[in-house]
Amino acid sequence: MRHLMISLLVMVLITSCRSTTPSASNHLSSAVNATNDLNGYDFSGPKTMEAAPKDMICTALVRAEEVACQDVKGKTILANKCQVMCSIPIAPKGKVAGYNFKSFIITDALPAGKVCAAVVSPEHEACLKAGGKVTIAEKCSALCSVRISR
């Protein structure tokens, strides 16, 4: 739905802003480029990257970000220059990523075999209400795949 609205906006700009003056052409070009950005996550956190050109060809290497994205059941996003992002937060092996009430964080994962008490934290509850996916970090803290607030 969002992409449809952006496409319609671009079409309105194109049809209503036709001009032979250089300044109008430059303004139209920057409006179109503004819709060419992709949002996602890499190992450093939330990112905005330029979309890949339609004719871009990347080598068949499997990048660590792709593996991490598959592990958390996200969707891989291919950006310009063959950069890889994920639709949800990812982290390197042994780490987890997500949002708490304060910010986006990357922290240690819950050690294998460790079990947390079945207490629903305020972050866990807020994440579920926001439609996010909960990840449990070390010390049984809950991280969310989407921004949450109290």
Side-chain angles (χ1 to χ4, degrees):
M1 184 69 160
R2 180 177 172 212
H3 295 291
L4 178 62
M5 291 177 67
I6 291 172
S7 296
L8 288 172
L9 176 62
V10 170
M11 291 303 294
V12 169
L13 286 172
I14 290 170
T15 58
S16 65
C17 296
R18 289 186 186 180
S19 173
T20 56
T21 62
S23 62
S25 297
N26 290 340
H27 177 69
L28 179 60
S29 174
S30 66
V32 172
N33 287 340
T35 64
N36 201 26
D37 289 339
L38 300 171
N39 295 314
Y41 298 86
D42 67 6
F43 288 152
S44 65
K47 289 282 184 204
T48 298
M49 294 184 185
E50 185 178 331
K54 291 180 182 175
D55 60 347
M56 185 178 77
I57 299 173
C58 298
T59 59
L61 294 174
V62 177
R63 291 163 180 82
E65 290 89 347
E66 290 175 275
V67 174
C69 190
Q70 291 170 357
D71 289 346
V72 296
K73 297 179 178 38
K75 293 179 184 170
T76 301
I77 302 166
L78 188 61
N80 196 22
K81 299 179 183 174
C82 298
Q83 296 173 303
V84 176
M85 294 187 297
C86 188
S87 59
I88 58 177
I90 57 173
K93 280 217 177 282
K95 303 278 186 181
V96 291
Y99 294 92
N100 60 20
F101 286 140
K102 295 178 184 175
S103 65
F104 178 86
I105 63 168
I106 297 174
T107 188
D108 291 328
L110 185 68
K114 183 175 179 183
V115 179
C116 297
V119 176
V120 177
S121 69
E123 289 90 348
H124 192 141
E125 189 175 334
C127 185
L128 295 177
K129 285 181 181 176
K133 180 182 172 194
V134 176
T135 301
I136 304 300
E138 185 181 47
K139 299 180 184 173
C140 297
S141 60
L143 298 178
C144 188
S145 61
V146 297
R147 286 187 171 95
I148 55 174
S149 61
R150 291 191 184 270

